[in-house]
Amino acid sequence: MIIKTDLFLEGDSISLIPLEIKHKEPLFDALKSPEVWKYSMRKVTTVKDMEKILVIAVNNKKEGKHVPFIVKENLKGQIIGTTQICSIDKANRSVEIGWTWLSPKVWRTRVNTECKLLLLNYCFEELKVNRVQFSVSGENLRSQKAVERIGATKEGTFRKHRIKADGTIQDNIFYSIIDDEWGSVKERLIYLLNKAY
């Protein structure tokens, strides 16, 4: 499994472009709403806070641990969020899709669905992974529904798994899609993109 860390993935309405530190200001503008960070371990209220997250992402990229992207609208060229392929386990051909934060302006639009189609297609058809997992805050019902909607299977709950920026402790819900399911999940994603939006 050879991982390209400077990867471009282009869809109909969005593109996933390699994340760099220089994206900190437009990314902060897209993600400065407190709603974005409500269930996160991180607290982002300044450009400096955003820069800290990007430094971690870029360092993980250099070490081959993560493949971080910015999410960019094709029509306007506007940065609307970030996502990553992370927790890369080459030995077991497994990855996670996470660190996904999108502007509230694009919530409940085709953006997240298309983002997942691009990432999952790359993971299953290029990397030939056996498994892609997702980890969602036990409090974040909106994200849980979004992951379930694309066809991921709920596997279980890690209780008291993460400490949020405000000090409260949250459970994490784990989901996965395995290679045997990818064909039907892909059909579902394409259907949602063509029919729902």
Side-chain angles (χ1 to χ4, degrees):
M1 190 164 77
I2 298 170
I3 308 283
K4 297 176 186 175
T5 54
D6 282 319
L7 182 67
F8 290 81
L9 299 174
E10 188 169 356
D12 293 333
S13 62
I14 61 160
S15 294
L16 303 181
I17 297 167
L19 180 145
E20 298 176 33
I21 301 295
K22 69 180 183 182
H23 296 127
K24 64 185 178 184
E25 289 176 0
L27 205 48
F28 175 73
D29 286 341
L31 303 177
K32 61 188 173 188
S33 167
E35 281 298 302
V36 173
W37 307 100
K38 184 175 180 179
Y39 304 108
S40 177
M41 299 182 310
R42 293 152 186 87
K43 186 175 182 181
V44 176
T45 57
T46 66
V47 174
K48 192 72 177 168
D49 294 334
M50 180 60 68
E51 184 177 13
K52 289 176 187 175
I53 290 173
L54 300 195
V55 167
I56 293 167
V58 168
N59 287 339
N60 283 335
K61 177 167 86 168
K62 287 176 184 171
E63 295 172 13
K65 295 178 181 177
H66 291 196
V67 183
F69 301 93
I70 60 162
V71 183
K72 194 171 188 177
E73 283 182 315
N74 290 340
L75 190 61
K76 298 177 182 177
Q78 189 173 19
I79 291 174
I80 53 175
T82 182
T83 191
Q84 296 189 32
I85 297 170
C86 49
S87 301
I88 296 168
D89 181 348
K90 291 182 181 180
N92 293 301
R93 307 191 72 78
S94 174
V95 299
E96 181 171 328
I97 292 174
W99 293 49
T100 302
W101 298 293
L102 296 170
S103 168
K105 293 176 185 175
V106 299
W107 290 358
R108 296 179 186 87
T109 70
R110 67 181 288 122
V111 168
N112 190 44
T113 304
E114 188 168 6
C115 189
K116 295 302 185 284
L117 176 60
L118 291 171
L119 291 168
L120 288 165
N121 194 69
Y122 175 73
C123 290
F124 285 114
E125 298 188 15
E126 298 294 326
L127 297 181
K128 306 292 186 191
V129 300
N130 295 323
R131 165 191 170 83
V132 174
Q133 80 174 22
F134 305 86
S135 168
V136 182
S137 164
E139 298 172 356
N140 192 343
L141 300 180
R142 182 182 58 79
S143 289
Q144 288 175 45
K145 286 178 184 174
V147 172
E148 291 167 6
R149 185 171 176 264
I150 66 170
T153 297
K154 184 176 179 179
E155 295 184 321
T157 303
F158 282 23
R159 299 178 299 161
K160 291 194 171 185
H161 190 230
R162 298 270 165 84
I163 300 173
K164 292 178 10 182
D166 65 5
T168 58
I169 303 171
Q170 65 182 1
D171 297 342
N172 260 11
I173 314 293
F174 281 82
Y175 295 85
S176 74
I177 298 169
I178 58 174
D179 54 354
D180 301 333
E181 300 163 343
W182 169 234
S184 60
V185 169
K186 183 177 183 178
E187 284 180 11
R188 179 175 178 77
L189 288 167
I190 292 169
Y191 172 81
L192 288 170
L193 287 170
N194 290 336
K195 301 292 182 185
Y197 302 108

